[in-house]
Every structure is written in C-alpha cells, then in structure tokens.
C-alpha cells in the first residue's frame, strides 16, 4: 500500500454508512408511509449506525500507535455511541410496546449522558495552544467538566 494516494481509499464501513444514511434520507424526504411508520423508522434506522460508530471508536481506542489521550477520547466517544443506542432502544420501546411518543422519557437520560461523554472526549484530545486567549477558552470549557469530575486537574 505504499503507492496509495491519500484520500483515495475509503473503508467499507464508511461506504455502507453513507449509502445507508442516504437511503434513509431519501425515504424521509419522499414522505413514504404514515407518520407512525416514519417515527418508527426514524428511531430504528440509526441504531445500527450507533453500534457501528461505537464499535469503530472502541477498535480505534485500542490502537497503540495513538497517543494515550486520543485513545481515552475515542473510548469516551464509543461509550457515548452506546448511550445513544440505549436511548434509541428505550424510545423504540415507547413506540412499539406502549404506542406513544412522549416529549420527555427515560431515553432522554441516555441522550444527555451522551452529551457529557462527548464533552469528556473533546477535553481529552490533546491541544496545542497558539494564543493566550485559548487558555481562557479552555478554562471556561473545562470548569464545568471538572465540576462533574470528567476532566483531570
């Protein structure tokens, strides 16, 4: 693979995810089926992609070539993908078993957990500061995360 040109090779998981996403988008924009069917597919359609993203992030987090902080960030992102998957499972249960689509549900706990995990992941990525203002921006971003115990001091 020495003669490979950068950007010319796309992994099969990326191609499958792109085709899958475009197929879903086409279905959604075409307005095919009832509102209940679109709600059901809107919840279920991204569950495989959440699992795929989590699996790829977990796999990348085990690569020893990467810096430890990058591997830690990828691991947080993977857990976030699993949190979204759990939230989608709960939403799907509400739709299928209970026949309702509540504005607030227990799925929201997992969606909000994903936001916290994503913030933790973003704070783990290494930064190179170019200007002093970046130190203040980082301080403003990390202070709330430190309150939750997500960012090392």
């Amino acid at each position: 693979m020495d003669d490979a040109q950068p950007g010319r090779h796309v992994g099969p998981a990326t191609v499958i995810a792109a085709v899958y996403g475009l197929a879903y988008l086409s279905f959604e924009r075409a307005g095919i089926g009832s509102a209940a069917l679109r709600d059901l597919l809107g919840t279920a359609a991204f569950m495989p992609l959440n699992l795929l993203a989590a699996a790829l992030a977990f796999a990348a987090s085990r690569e020893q070539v990467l810096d430890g902080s990058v591997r830690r960030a990828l691991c947080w992102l993977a857990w976030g993908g699993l949190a979204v998957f759990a939230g989608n499972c709960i939403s799907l249960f509400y739709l299928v078993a209970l026949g309702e689509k509540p504005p607030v549900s227990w799925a929201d706990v997992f969606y909000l957990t994903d936001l916290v995990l994503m913030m933790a992941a973003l704070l783990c990525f290494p930064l190179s500061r170019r200007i002093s203002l970046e130190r203040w921006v980082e301080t403003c971003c990390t202070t709330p995360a430190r309150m939750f115990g997500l960012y090392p001091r």
Side-chain angles (χ1 to χ4, degrees):
M1 200 147 133
D2 294 337
D3 59 345
Q5 297 174 353
R8 297 288 305 221
H9 299 285
V10 177
T14 306
V15 172
I16 291 169
V19 170
Y20 189 84
L22 286 173
Y24 170 74
L25 183 64
S26 300
F27 167 79
E28 192 67 36
R29 295 299 295 165
I32 300 170
S34 66
L37 176 65
R38 285 195 304 276
D39 285 342
L40 177 68
L41 287 180
T43 301
F46 288 98
M47 292 172 75
L49 294 177
N50 294 134
L51 287 178
L52 178 64
L56 290 174
F58 272 129
S61 72
R62 289 191 304 272
E63 290 293 325
Q64 296 300 317
V65 177
L66 299 173
D67 183 58
S69 59
V70 174
R71 289 195 316 264
R72 185 174 32 258
L74 289 169
C75 193
W76 283 119
L77 288 174
W79 283 111
L82 290 178
V84 171
F85 177 76
N88 285 345
C89 288
I90 293 170
S91 293
L92 195 60
F93 173 77
Y94 274 104
L95 283 172
V96 174
L98 303 178
E100 58 187 46
K101 187 178 178 184
V104 177
S105 72
W106 286 104
D108 297 336
V109 173
F110 291 94
Y111 298 140
L112 292 173
T113 301
D114 172 54
L115 294 176
V116 173
L117 292 170
M118 235 190 307
M119 176 64 97
L122 291 174
L123 293 173
C124 285
F125 283 112
L127 297 174
S128 63
R129 291 180 196 85
R130 294 176 297 280
I131 58 175
S132 62
L133 177 64
E134 289 181 23
R135 172 59 102 183
W136 288 105
V137 171
E138 182 184 358
T139 301
C140 291
C141 290
T142 59
T143 300
R146 284 187 176 134
M147 285 191 237
F148 291 107
L150 296 174
Y151 192 73
R153 295 179 194 255

